[in-house]
Amino acid sequence: MPGEIVPAAGKQAARGQESAMRASHADRDRVAELLRIAAGDGRLTSEELDERLEAALSARTIGDLAGLTTDLPPVSLAPGGVVAEVKDVLTIDQRWSRVRREGRWVVPRRLELFVEWCDVTLDFTEAVITQDTLQIDLDMEGKTLTLITGPGIVVDADGLALEFSRIRNRRAPDHGAPVTLRIELVGRKRHGRVVVRRPWRTAGQWLLRKPLALPPGD
């Protein structure tokens, strides 16, 4: 239900279920690379690196892997081995101009938008995503908030209060694709729109009627 508050016990249970999920080879490889980066930065000794690498490569669950990096700063691995720092909170406070995040921008753990009469576009199709949930705290007056999503990205606007505004979801269903990112909109939107859509087709895609390309692995 809109605005429903999930009890703390329920959130703890959900986190416990996630920790108990079986780890994949990709999960183990990602943590192993993070450990090597930390050792290269001088945060781990060679003995600690060897010990944690052994634990990472033999880990059975997501919880086992998470315990190996809790004392290390959060980083994200983009394709090609590029390392990007992940911010806990990204705050955008802006008026009377356009806001865009597109390309390979690093998605924070939480995003605060305090904007007045600004068109805001958040394009997640090539973004570096490091967690399965993003909360966007919104206090927006006027204009349009546009969320451009790809396969596996869903938007939950139940926690968003609308005043003289509306939400338009142009996003096609994923037909059973696993959810990789859940975007939760909370706060207030006044005098404007919220639009959720897929990327526009190119002229060549329209002419050839080709489906939109999916990210590698989908």
Side-chain angles (χ1 to χ4, degrees):
M1 293 180 62
E4 182 179 2
I5 299 177
V6 180
K11 293 182 180 180
Q12 292 175 354
R15 285 194 293 267
Q17 291 175 355
E18 181 181 355
S19 296
M21 290 180 61
R22 291 280 181 164
S24 67
H25 292 311
D27 294 327
R28 298 184 187 96
D29 291 343
R30 180 180 60 83
V31 172
E33 186 61 23
L34 292 176
L35 293 172
R36 294 188 183 99
I37 292 170
D41 290 340
R43 301 181 189 275
L44 297 175
T45 66
S46 58
E47 292 80 8
E48 289 172 328
L49 175 62
D50 291 341
E51 180 181 346
R52 296 196 191 193
L53 282 176
E54 183 178 355
L57 296 177
S58 61
R60 294 185 176 182
T61 68
I62 297 296
D64 294 337
L65 290 172
L68 299 174
T69 58
T70 54
D71 58 347
L72 300 176
V75 296
S76 167
L77 289 179
V82 178
V83 180
E85 183 178 356
V86 182
K87 293 184 177 180
D88 287 332
V89 181
L90 173 61
T91 301
I92 299 176
D93 190 342
Q94 198 159 312
R95 290 161 181 79
W96 306 100
S97 58
R98 187 171 64 174
V99 176
R100 293 188 67 90
R101 291 293 185 274
E102 57 189 343
R104 298 207 59 79
W105 66 289
V106 181
V107 177
R109 303 186 189 280
R110 183 163 62 89
L111 177 60
E112 296 179 341
L113 282 175
F114 305 111
V115 294
E116 295 182 13
W117 303 102
C118 301
D119 278 319
V120 179
T121 300
L122 303 176
D123 188 342
F124 294 92
T125 54
E126 297 181 13
V128 178
I129 299 170
T130 62
Q131 70 281 336
D132 58 7
T133 303
L134 167 65
Q135 179 174 307
I136 299 179
D137 294 322
L138 189 65
D139 187 355
M140 183 172 179
E141 173 85 22
K143 297 290 188 175
T144 301
L145 168 63
T146 302
L147 305 177
I148 305 175
T149 64
I153 301 178
V154 298
V155 178
D156 179 358
D158 286 350
L160 185 63
L162 299 177
E163 301 176 15
F164 304 102
S165 301
R166 61 191 178 97
I167 296 178
R168 184 171 183 180
N169 192 339
R170 299 172 177 167
R171 184 177 174 277
D174 285 337
H175 303 295
V179 176
T180 57
L181 177 65
R182 181 182 182 85
I183 301 172
E184 299 177 351
L185 296 177
V186 299
R188 295 188 303 168
K189 176 71 178 81
R190 303 179 300 279
H191 301 97
R193 296 188 303 162
V194 176
V195 175
V196 181
R197 66 171 177 84
R198 288 288 182 86
W200 300 127
R201 291 175 183 267
T202 65
Q205 287 172 329
W206 278 114
L207 290 173
L208 299 175
R209 294 298 191 271
K210 290 184 178 180
L212 290 172
L214 298 180
D218 284 333

